[in-house]
Amino acid sequence: MSTIAIISSFADETQCVQAVEELRAAQVGDFNTFSPIPSHKIEHAIGRSKSPVRWLVLAGGISGVLTGLAITIGTTYEWRLNAGGRPLLSWPPFIVICFELMVLLGGIFGFFGVLMLSGVPTTTMAPGYDGRFGEDRFGIVVRCDEAEAARVESMLKESGAEEVVREDEAQPR
Amino acid sequence: MAAAPKIPVEPSYRDIDRSVLRVMEPAGLAYWAWIGFCFTLVAIAAGFWLRQIYSGLGVTGLRQPVMWAIYITNFVFWVGIAHSGTLISAILFLFRTKWRTAVYRAAETMTIFAVATAGLFPLIHLGRVWFFYWLLPYPNQRYLQPDFRSPLVWDAFAVSTYLTISALFWTMGLIPDVANAREAATGWRKKFYTALAMGWQGTDRQWRHYSMAYLLMAGLATPLVLSVHSVVSWDFAMAINPGWHSTIFAPYFVAGAIFSGVAMVITLLIPMRKLLGIEDLLTEWHFDNLAKVVLLTSLVVSYAYITEAFMTWYTGDPIEQMTFHMRYFGPWGWMYWVMVLCNCVIPLLLFSPRIRVNMRALWIITIFVNIGMWFERFVIIAGSLTANIEPSQWAGYRPSITEIMITVGSFAWFVGLFSLFAKFLPIISMTELKEGIVWLRKALKMDRVKAA
């Protein structure tokens, strides 16, 4: 049995959410959505865990603090500047450097983490992508067995899809 | 440009896209003439800089003891201008402020270009600019390293971190919008936007990571923005120079930065919304709220001026008191009172709700604020150096043509870069405006009811 892709578009976020919920309940195939805005409702309906990018930001932040400590302590020991016999390491100013590097590396890890996890840069578009999905339409692409296609199509239509097409029928726009 | 068609009072996502993308259509001759004018000024300033590099800092008016003057004033001024962008894009994002969506992209863009302008001034101020990298720690055979106890080294870290993080945060917000522009564009523009969008498609997987990272980056940028101007203020406060050595400097400078930055956002947005025909997206409601931020920070800054005077009197330090006496009533006293007029008195007009939405009045008030805040930095930096601890060292300062032309060039550089951006990339975030469409609709309804 071959797998096919069914592409549907919705004018309304709520209808898209409803379709996602029904697809999840019916457990047919796997699917992904396209939306013009970061929709928390869709994210909630799909029910994936929180993005792991937060761990990357944390790792970046920690490595920033460690880098800050390494360069401040390291360079102080390399160039021992005796300021009136006071302790060699001046912790309060080091905090400033550690803080700045924490933010710097945390941000850089976060930015490149998003790119890596979301698969950009890329030159290939996901099957079913349509320019309208960036403008004002919400899309769901379901990949399922051919035998289940009719059921999926009727589910999408019942949820209020404006258009439901199979991948082989979809015309490039 | 032809008059913009009004968008319906209940705009759809498509109406928002069309209004924003229309701005990015090819520009006319007037636009290119303006860009040419700005960059000609930049070229003239660059010529003066080259002359200064060739012949040394003697071509400036900098003489002992006034070794920090207009260049450092410009540095602090532009870093200050940069602050409103991150305030609006990160801090107000965390507070879920509704009016920020339409103005945040412009404010953030202003931040990037203001930091890029500010970053030039410490370099311009260097006598031997080719040794700028001495500020950074790097391995060398003499084991010579920067002293991390110096606030100037903190500043190098803070400002470069600020520029990097603001640029990443801004780029991240731009990606979905540029992907939208990619769909609508043709010709070389399509290739340009396709490359910038990096293949963004708005799948649930992409949005999931995007939303989380955006939130975390806003969380990181919030303490960063407060730290950057604090660090800038410590360049002064850590020195034992009278007029500089004060514990209130960090909050005082941060409030001043937000004050001048938001004023600059208004100064840029009012002509921009008219010239680019986006009056429907930047409504009176947005300006009313921006004006309230200006008013609030004006009051904070006024309070800081009073506290500063009180502390000087209360400490009983005669040297500090003499410096402040000279600041208020010395030969440069007029600058102090111009600053008080522009920063403390004129913004009080914004208590009137009518003035807050009167674009002409608001524009003029914010220009006064910009002038006042430039003078504030000059009075603090150069003014305090003219009347130092030893009266025998007291000296005046007169800016040279090199310093004046480089200052003019910095304004042209900033405005030129901003104008280029406004025409080639989405100056209003379509994604965020769509997310908060309910509030845009409300604002439009208010505007239309008023107009009727």
Side-chain angles (χ1 to χ4, degrees):
Chain A
M1 188 72 67
S2 62
T3 307
I4 59 161
I6 299 167
I7 303 153
S8 55
S9 74
F10 296 81
D12 186 62
E13 186 186 6
T14 327
Q15 292 170 335
C16 180
V17 171
Q18 196 192 333
V20 168
E21 278 166 355
E22 282 183 22
L23 285 169
R24 274 195 77 198
Q27 292 182 324
V28 279
D30 72 316
F31 63 89
N32 67 279
T33 63
F34 296 100
S35 57
I37 55 168
S39 164
H40 297 294
K41 287 180 193 159
I42 295 178
E43 201 180 324
H44 188 71
I46 293 176
R48 284 213 186 92
S49 58
K50 281 185 180 167
S51 163
V53 76
R54 62 210 163 113
W55 299 114
L56 288 175
V57 174
L58 180 68
I62 292 172
S63 43
V65 172
L66 296 178
T67 312
L69 288 174
I71 61 166
T72 47
I73 297 173
T75 56
T76 308
Y77 274 106
E78 196 166 276
W79 181 255
R80 289 162 177 271
L81 185 65
N82 186 337
R86 280 188 284 263
L88 196 58
L89 300 179
S90 323
W91 294 105
F94 293 180
I95 293 171
V96 178
I97 305 293
C98 292
F99 170 77
E100 299 297 341
L101 289 176
M102 175 192 81
V103 173
L104 180 67
L105 291 191
I108 291 176
F109 273 49
F111 180 79
F112 289 101
V114 173
L115 296 192
M116 192 184 75
L117 292 167
S118 35
V120 283
T122 178
T123 48
T124 48
M125 293 302 199
Y129 174 76
D130 188 315
R132 292 180 309 159
F133 296 149
E135 191 179 59
D136 61 348
R137 289 293 183 268
F138 295 80
I140 303 181
V141 177
V142 189
R143 279 166 297 279
C144 60
D145 285 340
E146 215 166 343
E148 279 182 320
R151 193 168 139 231
V152 169
E153 278 172 343
S154 70
M155 254 167 27
L156 291 167
K157 276 181 188 149
E158 272 167 34
S159 308
E162 287 179 325
E163 197 180 66
V164 180
V165 284
R166 295 190 182 187
E167 194 188 26
D168 46 338
E169 297 168 13
Q171 297 298 316
R173 245 173 275 263
Chain B
M1 185 178 284
K6 274 207 176 279
I7 65 171
V9 74
E10 286 268 327
S12 63
Y13 283 3
R14 182 172 293 189
D15 294 324
I16 290 176
D17 272 11
R18 287 196 179 154
S19 307
V20 177
L21 293 174
R22 207 182 53 79
V23 174
M24 289 153 65
E25 283 166 7
L29 198 63
Y31 173 80
W32 289 112
W34 168 246
I35 296 287
F37 171 72
C38 288
F39 285 97
T40 307
L41 285 178
V42 173
I44 294 172
F48 274 96
W49 187 18
L50 279 176
R51 177 164 158 264
Q52 179 193 303
I53 292 172
Y54 184 74
S55 44
L57 280 175
V59 297
T60 65
L62 298 170
R63 300 286 180 274
Q64 282 290 2
V66 189
M67 295 309 287
W68 281 10
I70 283 192
Y71 289 155
I72 302 298
T73 300
N74 285 335
F75 166 70
V76 180
F77 176 78
W78 286 116
V79 176
I81 294 297
H83 274 56
S84 70
T86 319
L87 169 92
I88 293 172
S89 63
I91 301 183
L92 298 185
F93 174 77
L94 295 182
F95 280 107
R96 302 280 183 257
T97 310
K98 284 140 198 129
W99 54 269
R100 72 172 267 289
T101 52
V103 291
Y104 102 89
R105 174 70 49 69
E108 217 176 352
T109 306
M110 197 194 74
T111 291
I112 311 275
F113 297 142
V115 185
T117 313
L120 290 175
F121 278 100
L123 299 182
I124 294 172
H125 187 69
L126 287 181
R128 292 180 291 168
V129 65
W130 51 96
F131 290 132
F132 76 95
Y133 61 91
W134 283 4
L135 261 176
L136 301 169
Y138 63 96
N140 59 82
Q141 79 265 34
R142 290 165 297 159
Y143 300 111
L144 189 63
Q145 295 293 351
D147 183 359
F148 282 102
R149 277 166 271 189
S150 160
L152 299 184
V153 180
W154 310 346
D155 218 14
F157 276 81
V159 174
S160 47
T161 299
Y162 191 41
L163 179 60
T164 315
I165 293 299
S166 314
L168 291 179
F169 197 47
W170 175 74
T171 311
M172 210 162 117
L174 266 176
I175 293 172
D177 275 0
V178 174
N180 250 356
R182 168 189 70 193
E183 300 303 332
T186 52
W188 69 268
R189 282 167 184 265
K190 193 168 186 80
K191 284 185 190 149
F192 176 63
Y193 297 131
T194 304
L196 286 186
M198 298 191 281
W200 180 267
Q201 296 147 59
T203 61
D204 54 292
R205 170 181 161 215
Q206 289 177 338
W207 284 125
R208 184 168 73 111
H209 302 308
Y210 175 94
S211 308
M212 174 60 77
Y214 203 83
L215 178 70
L216 292 174
M217 285 187 65
L220 285 172
T222 298
L224 176 68
V225 66
L226 302 179
S227 88
V228 172
H229 223 65
S230 301
V231 168
V232 169
S233 81
W234 292 335
D235 286 345
F236 309 102
M238 293 283 161
I240 53 168
N241 203 57
W244 287 3
H245 193 56
S246 168
T247 48
I248 67 161
F249 259 42
Y252 169 24
F253 269 48
V254 171
I258 293 170
F259 178 47
S260 64
V262 178
M264 184 63 101
V265 170
I266 298 177
T267 311
L268 289 178
L269 286 186
I270 289 176
M272 191 188 86
R273 76 197 272 268
K274 189 134 193 103
L275 291 171
L276 300 182
I278 43 175
E279 281 142 311
D280 284 338
L281 299 179
L282 291 170
T283 65
E284 286 185 353
W285 175 60
H286 296 108
F287 284 96
D288 184 40
N289 281 298
L290 283 168
K292 282 178 188 163
V293 178
V294 173
L295 177 61
L296 173 74
T297 44
S298 157
L299 296 175
V300 176
V301 167
S302 308
Y303 176 71
Y305 295 157
I306 296 167
T307 310
E308 206 178 26
F310 171 78
M311 281 163 77
T312 308
W313 167 76
Y314 194 69
T315 53
D317 179 350
I319 295 170
E320 190 81 17
Q321 286 178 352
M322 177 49 81
T323 302
F324 274 83
H325 181 83
M326 293 292 280
R327 183 179 289 182
Y328 301 151
F329 309 110
W332 285 359
W334 63 270
M335 290 190 199
Y336 183 83
W337 299 108
V338 165
M339 168 195 117
V340 169
L341 180 73
C342 294
N343 294 349
C344 311
V345 182
I346 293 175
L348 294 179
L349 290 170
L350 296 175
F351 269 114
S352 152
R354 268 214 324 243
I355 292 181
R356 284 202 301 269
V357 294
N358 180 330
M359 294 302 141
R360 205 163 291 169
L362 191 56
W363 195 64
I364 293 169
I365 290 172
T366 55
I367 286 181
F368 273 117
V369 170
N370 290 323
I371 295 171
M373 284 310 290
W374 193 90
F375 272 115
E376 183 206 283
R377 274 66 176 254
F378 188 79
V379 162
I380 293 174
I381 296 166
S384 303
L385 290 174
T386 52
N388 220 311
I389 297 169
E390 294 285 347
S392 60
Q393 282 189 350
W394 289 6
Y397 161 77
R398 187 176 286 274
S400 74
I401 182 78
T402 307
E403 286 159 293
I404 293 168
M405 286 315 294
I406 289 179
T407 304
V408 171
S410 78
F411 278 85
W413 163 255
F414 170 77
V415 176
L417 286 175
F418 190 85
S419 309
L420 272 181
F421 178 89
K423 203 65 198 154
F424 285 93
L425 287 162
I427 193 68
I428 292 183
S429 167
M430 292 175 265
T431 310
E432 294 222 14
L433 213 51
K434 287 175 196 170
E435 261 189 290
I437 198 162
V438 186
W439 301 101
L440 178 70
R441 285 175 182 160
K442 276 195 176 165
L444 279 169
K445 252 182 219 158
M446 270 183 343
D447 267 22
R448 299 280 159 93
V449 167
K450 249 183 164 179

